[in-house]
Amino acid sequence: MCRYCTEYGNGTKWYLNPDNYRPELFQAPGHNTAYDMLSGVYKNSFEVGATADSEDTLPDYNFGGAFNIALEKITQHQGQVLPLEDALRVIDMTPGDRFLLMHCACRRHFGHKDVFSCLFFDPVVDRALEQRPWETDSRVITREEAKEFEKEMDRLGLVHSLWDSGVDSDGKPPIVMCHCLETDCMPTRIRAHFGIVNAQRKGEYVSVVDRKKCAEGCTKMPLCLPRCPFGALRYSPLDMIASVNISRCFGCGLCRTVCPTGAVRLVDRTTYPALVDEW
Amino acid sequence: MEEHVTPRYRVAVDEDACGNAIDCLLCVKTCLDHGPNVLGYMNKEAPDLDKFIPRRLEDIDHKIISGFMINCDGCGECVAVCPKSALTLVVPEPQVHRALIPRDGSIVLCGTLADGTEIFPD
């Protein structure tokens, strides 16, 4: 497990630990910075501003380390990829019944499609509505609708990633589920282009392909390959099967859902010694 | 000995000439269509809700920003497309060596032969 689960997991994954969903945690002043930056009035300044002219401010190409520290200590803004099952568990664990569907700020501000893909949790709903009055078409939905929304995102091929507000000693409360892609989203781009781990961590799982089952499935047009947003799947024209590059896999589980023979499954990331420190 | 330095481009934006960027965004769209997608727009300042409550995104004053400039190939299409001539492509100094292959009397790059012949396909 990575340090998030070690420090905030209490024996399980950090986002499955009920301690991180305590209502008082959402009121604690230590987490306020992240609320403002993720859901509030500073969202745009932070999300897009973080990369604006960053290379001029930090002209050394190895500024990943400084960026990592900034993300963790100053902005208290980190995310992790998770598969659909865990996304639904998180929705179940979140206190309150309301969820707020809001525009994806990253996509819009780099000229991409304006889509609803950010799902804020109940403790920040009022604050987000109050602090972002220009988002007039945001929708408040119920827990059941939120689950349907997550399943729809999964069908579309958008990765679930969970964002929390800070690593203060009292806990790590998740506040929003985003659906980021490398093509158009800030955290995934920062991770992919600059290797900044704290921008978006890999999930707790990796995919495994059963070679025999895969050989019985789609031999000519592998359906799973275009589902992988991280370029972790490979296709061998000799064996006519797909395989996973585990060092690239983020464990989002999107490849599983389209496999006609059920050849893909998720296993715990720490199964492999190679991935023990790979997050 | 000659040196070749891969240029690191910057896009300088004259904010006064640009005005409220959200009314135009031609450069952002052009950059997205061209490929690198390094231009974006953001609020000049986070809205102060005590003074003014913006009811639409267009009510907020936006500016053009550039990020991920390591992906910029310096095509200059954003500069050409700007109706207000607010953008300038600059190559700031000092440049950091990204592809430096020093050899006496010639520059040898992957796409250039020792006699200077370019072998990039058109």
Side-chain angles (χ1 to χ4, degrees):
Chain A
M1 59 180 70
C2 85
R3 55 163 291 217
Y4 291 164
C5 295
T6 311
E7 293 175 23
Y8 304 99
N10 194 18
T12 177
K13 297 175 177 46
W14 69 270
Y15 51 78
L16 298 181
N17 175 12
D19 285 351
N20 288 323
Y21 295 86
R22 281 175 289 135
E24 65 266 27
L25 209 55
F26 291 92
Q27 309 299 331
H31 301 282
N32 274 354
T33 321
Y35 289 149
D36 288 347
M37 288 178 171
L38 271 173
S39 61
V41 75
Y42 298 110
K43 185 175 171 67
N44 185 229
S45 302
F46 164 65
E47 289 214 315
V48 183
T51 49
D53 305 324
S54 56
E55 293 151 303
D56 283 341
T57 326
L58 301 158
D60 186 345
Y61 271 101
N62 299 316
F63 66 89
F67 216 133
N68 255 334
I69 293 167
L71 281 172
E72 180 159 312
K73 300 295 181 199
I74 304 167
T75 64
Q76 303 216 337
H77 171 64
Q78 296 109 59
Q80 188 175 20
V81 169
L82 63 175
L84 178 63
E85 294 89 329
D86 280 2
L88 296 178
R89 281 187 199 118
V90 166
I91 301 248
D92 268 333
M93 292 179 77
T94 309
D97 267 338
R98 297 172 307 159
F99 293 82
L100 180 68
L101 255 185
M102 212 182 237
H103 288 280
C104 169
C106 311
R107 291 190 172 93
R108 179 164 65 193
H109 288 275
F110 268 86
H112 292 270
K113 262 185 190 164
D114 204 356
V115 289
F116 284 104
S117 65
C118 295
L119 188 71
F120 288 91
F121 300 159
D122 192 287
V124 294
V125 166
D126 288 331
R127 191 167 182 160
L129 284 173
E130 180 193 317
Q131 291 206 2
R132 296 174 66 75
W134 56 90
E135 307 279 13
T136 47
D137 43 4
S138 301
R139 280 196 293 131
V140 177
I141 60 176
T142 65
R143 193 184 300 275
E144 285 310 309
E145 286 171 332
K147 285 186 185 175
E148 278 308 309
F149 169 74
E150 290 302 330
K151 289 174 190 165
E152 176 59 26
M153 290 287 114
D154 213 75
R155 276 192 288 272
L156 271 175
L158 295 171
V159 182
H160 317 272
S161 54
L162 184 64
W163 300 86
D164 63 85
S165 58
V167 289
D168 269 17
S169 54
D170 52 354
K172 190 171 164 63
I175 58 172
V176 58
M177 189 88 76
C178 287
H179 301 85
C180 312
L181 291 176
E182 187 194 320
T183 47
D184 39 24
C185 280
M186 299 305 286
T188 322
R189 278 180 99 190
I190 292 172
R191 169 84 201 235
H193 292 244
F194 300 130
I196 293 164
V197 173
N198 278 349
Q200 191 179 31
R201 294 210 170 205
K202 292 178 180 177
E204 304 284 336
Y205 310 89
V206 282
S207 283
V208 175
V209 177
D210 184 317
R211 287 171 60 95
K212 280 184 186 154
K213 282 187 190 169
C214 183
E216 295 161 5
C218 38
T219 50
K220 292 236 168 70
M221 283 267 291
L223 296 171
C224 55
L225 255 69
R227 291 276 286 183
C228 181
F230 303 104
L233 285 170
R234 297 282 183 271
Y235 178 73
S236 162
L238 298 175
D239 294 341
M240 295 205 288
I241 55 166
S243 61
V244 183
N245 179 340
I246 52 171
S247 66
R248 287 185 175 221
C249 178
F250 272 59
C252 66
L254 290 184
C255 49
R256 288 174 307 167
T257 41
V258 291
C259 181
T261 51
V264 192
R265 66 193 167 92
L266 288 180
V267 297
D268 202 284
R269 171 169 295 273
T270 51
T271 307
Y272 300 101
L275 302 181
V276 164
D277 290 323
E278 179 65 44
W279 297 94
Chain B
M1 193 170 74
E2 293 178 69
E3 291 181 354
H4 175 78
V5 174
T6 301
R8 299 176 63 183
Y9 299 103
R10 290 288 177 273
V11 176
V13 185
D14 182 342
E15 282 186 29
D16 293 333
C18 179
N20 190 354
I22 204 168
D23 296 332
C24 172
L25 299 180
L26 276 175
C27 55
V28 175
K29 288 171 190 136
T30 305
C31 188
L32 175 59
D33 289 342
H34 183 69
N37 194 205
V38 297
L39 292 182
Y41 62 104
M42 64 178 279
N43 48 216
K44 286 178 183 169
E45 280 175 14
D48 185 349
L49 298 180
D50 292 334
K51 291 183 182 154
F52 171 64
I53 297 178
R55 294 291 171 197
R56 302 176 310 146
L57 193 67
E58 290 80 3
D59 294 343
I60 305 170
D61 215 8
H62 283 80
K63 64 180 176 184
I64 298 294
I65 56 106
S66 56
F68 303 99
M69 285 301 285
I70 51 170
N71 297 340
C72 174
D73 61 359
C75 73
E77 285 182 28
C78 55
V79 177
V81 81
C82 180
K84 296 172 180 170
S85 305
L87 267 56
T88 324
L89 194 67
V90 288
V91 186
E93 297 290 337
Q95 289 288 317
V96 176
H97 295 154
R98 295 293 289 164
L100 172 63
I101 306 172
R103 275 198 199 166
D104 288 341
S106 63
I107 307 165
V108 180
L109 295 167
C110 306
T112 312
L113 300 180
D115 62 0
T117 315
E118 297 264 348
I119 54 170
F120 282 117
D122 278 330

